[in-house]
Amino acid sequence: MPRDLFAHAECVLPTERRLENAFPWCTEWEGELKELFRGYVEAKQRDNVLDYDDLLLYWADMMEEPSLARLVGDQFDHVLVDEYQDTNALQARIVMSMKPDGRGLAVVGDDAQSIYSFRAATVRNILDFPKQFTPPAQVITLEQNYRSTEPILDACNAVIAQATEGFHKQLFSDKPSEERPQLVMAADESAQVEYVVERVLEYREAGIDLKRQAVLFRAGHHSDQLEVELARRNIPFVKYGGLKFLEAAHVKDLICVLRWIENPRDAVAAFRVLQLLPGVGPASAREALAHLSNSGWDFASLSAFPAPSAAKPHWRELCAMLSGLRDNATPWAGQAAVVRRWYLSHLERLYDNFIARTADLDQLEQIAGTYRTRSDFLTELTLDPPEATSAAARAPHLDEDYLVLSTIHSAKGQEWDAVFVLNITDGCIPSDMAVGSPEQIEEERRLLYVAMTRARQHLHLVQPMRFFRGHQHRHADGYILSMRSRFIPDGIVDVFERHTHSAGTFPSSPQPQSRIRVNVAARVREMWN
């Protein structure tokens, strides 16, 4: 009988360390998680079923019996494993059991593109492969690249050459070019978005279709502000590697609160907002809306509605917020922050991944602050109806042109004529969640390398000089300064063409923010020179 998944994992890494490295928010539940997995395994064995993990687990257990391993291995004269850098320890054990002496065994892969440790892949499989045999396996390096221009490859080689370990290779190309990759220091996130959109449109005017261009980023929420600007300018796009910002359920929830305040008769928005409260279902929501209608759409009247018992502790707070923000004397500035603070008390109860969703709401609050009125904000966002939720960003029709937005992980194996990589800063690349060990940092370096090698002709790496952050002291300006990614040290910047870019053309930006950006732009130029 095979051991459970956690027992197998402990052969590679103890459960406690695995949780600390990959799921730190679950460390206090180690015992409960083990019990959960054991119960799951017992249920599968009782019902005589397998899941996808079991296909490997049972195979690996079978190969631990020498006679069975020989029987399986003898079925094949040659075993070829592609993308070996993306295999996990269990898969490597199976391969080695099939051909323990290495005869007839070949693996293909690129250690510099090993970026899926979150799926349990390990770069050690390909790095350690040659020395597992006597004599060591022969290593054949393929260095000619048929995708990118020489200057782009020079930059890629410079980045990956800093890796502490790996098979040495120097990529080259027969595609000469005078254009070096662009390393751009933007004043802030708005300037970064403006730079990318302007360059994308310039390339399109020069004959490079939108779908031959891509914007890549480390985490899905890094494209939030860009998505809003693309929607505002009616530039079609498709996003890979997560929900579109405006399609995420928690973003729609907050937007629906503002929509209901703007228009008390908006039954669709109201129906969604009311059901955010515990104990309020469709029937109670319809009754509350009928009560509001009979009271002349006055939010203050909702306080007299007999709310369900589970919702009563929250009902008065909701009614007070709706009435206060609906009052014409209440300025628009700060309203999104009030709604966000109210919603945060319900967010953790409603959805998982609380921290990432909170970051999205902070971003939405910042975007809302760039509009003069609530009406302008809601009109320009042009959300889909709240009931049209989506589990993934939908692809457009095949005959449409559209810009590609993608996480770097989802971009592996793809290529585009022009590539823009966002947030080339420490804390983004490498992610501040992936610097706990040298192994994690090296994978983050490989991640940047993968992003850069997606470009055929034009490559832009953009570094915002500062980021907006909420929850600061009331006298702070809401921004923190950033540093260029450690993967592009001063010693290699000469392989790039360097530029600065400051914002200032967003029509909805308030004047004080515009003045701040001008000052920051001057400081950027001063530091750059």
Side-chain angles (χ1 to χ4, degrees), residues 327-398:
D327 190 335
N328 291 332
T330 304
W332 160 239
Q335 289 193 21
V338 172
V339 175
R340 180 184 60 79
R341 286 195 295 270
W342 170 83
Y343 179 64
L344 285 178
S345 63
H346 302 281
L347 178 63
E348 192 167 7
R349 172 178 54 83
L350 294 167
Y351 304 110
D352 58 4
N353 204 5
F354 173 77
I355 295 176
R357 293 177 189 269
T358 301
D360 285 345
L361 299 181
D362 290 342
Q363 184 74 40
L364 185 65
E365 180 187 339
Q366 180 197 4
I367 294 169
T370 66
Y371 290 85
R372 288 185 294 272
T373 67
R374 184 175 57 230
S375 176
D376 287 347
F377 174 62
L378 296 171
T379 300
E380 295 217 23
L381 250 58
T382 60
L383 280 171
D384 292 333
E387 68 271 20
T389 54
S390 170
R394 297 182 296 275
H397 298 299
L398 294 179

Side-chain angles (χ1 to χ4, degrees), residues 424-437:
I424 304 297
T425 64
D426 253 50
C428 294
I429 303 178
S431 168
D432 54 5
M433 298 292 289
V435 292
S437 69

Side-chain angles (χ1 to χ4, degrees), residues 88-335:
N88 58 44
L90 200 60
Q91 292 168 317
R93 269 174 43 193
I94 293 171
V95 171
M96 295 304 168
S97 298
M98 293 179 68
K99 297 294 180 183
D101 60 359
R103 294 183 182 275
L105 176 60
V107 300
V108 178
D110 183 359
D111 60 288
Q113 297 193 50
S114 179
I115 60 173
Y116 294 117
S117 63
F118 67 93
R119 297 179 185 169
T122 171
V123 71
R124 300 306 330 166
N125 284 354
I126 192 167
L127 291 179
D128 297 340
F129 183 82
K131 58 188 177 187
Q132 294 189 47
F133 308 99
T134 305
Q138 181 182 5
V139 177
I140 301 174
T141 303
L142 304 178
E143 297 184 307
Q144 183 167 5
N145 180 286
Y146 298 92
R147 171 187 297 151
S148 306
T149 63
E150 279 284 3
I152 290 177
L153 293 181
D154 290 342
C156 297
N157 288 332
V159 168
I160 203 62
Q162 304 166 77
T164 57
E165 190 177 11
F167 296 107
H168 176 74
K169 52 187 175 296
Q170 188 75 12
L171 298 182
F172 67 92
S173 170
D174 60 1
K175 297 180 179 179
S177 173
E178 296 297 320
E179 179 183 333
R180 287 181 292 171
Q182 310 294 302
L183 181 58
V184 182
M185 181 180 283
D188 54 22
E189 293 170 280
S190 295
Q192 172 177 246
V193 167
E194 185 177 270
Y195 174 83
V196 169
V197 173
E198 288 176 356
R199 298 293 89 73
V200 164
L201 294 177
E202 286 177 6
Y203 282 139
R204 188 172 182 271
E205 289 299 314
I208 302 178
D209 294 339
L210 292 178
K211 66 176 60 177
R212 290 160 55 197
Q213 305 183 53
V215 183
L216 308 183
F217 32 85
R218 173 64 178 85
H221 67 271
H222 288 175
S223 67
D224 289 352
Q225 195 168 135
L226 175 62
E227 292 178 46
V228 171
E229 181 63 11
L230 292 172
R232 191 182 73 83
R233 298 200 189 194
N234 292 319
I235 299 174
F237 66 93
V238 59
K239 181 178 180 181
Y240 298 97
L243 286 176
K244 288 184 178 180
F245 178 51
L246 299 182
E247 290 180 351
H250 54 290
V251 174
K252 283 189 173 184
D253 289 343
L254 197 148
I255 291 295
C256 280
V257 177
L258 293 172
R259 284 180 52 187
W260 194 19
I261 293 169
E262 181 70 17
N263 177 16
R265 298 171 183 263
D266 189 336
V268 174
F271 198 66
R272 185 180 186 116
V273 173
L274 288 169
Q275 292 184 83
L276 296 176
L277 301 183
V280 177
S284 299
R286 280 192 290 269
E287 292 172 3
L289 284 175
H291 177 89
L292 183 64
S293 174
N294 294 333
S295 304
W297 306 103
D298 181 5
F299 284 129
S301 68
L302 273 179
S303 58
F305 176 76
S309 57
K312 284 182 179 178
H314 310 279
W315 193 261
R316 186 178 299 276
E317 183 183 9
L318 172 64
C319 295
M321 180 188 67
L322 294 173
S323 298
L325 297 186
R326 176 65 182 172
D327 190 335
N328 291 332
T330 304
W332 160 239
Q335 289 193 21

Side-chain angles (χ1 to χ4, degrees), residues 74-95:
D74 289 345
Q75 303 298 309
F76 306 95
D77 294 329
H78 303 277
V79 174
L80 171 64
V81 185
D82 197 12
E83 301 289 358
Y84 197 61
Q85 79 279 350
D86 294 333
T87 56
N88 58 44
L90 200 60
Q91 292 168 317
R93 269 174 43 193
I94 293 171
V95 171

Side-chain angles (χ1 to χ4, degrees), residues 466-480:
R466 62 180 193 164
F467 287 92
F468 175 82
R469 287 293 179 268
H471 317 299
Q472 293 196 10
H473 188 276
R474 61 192 180 93
H475 295 305
D477 67 358
Y479 288 88
I480 59 173

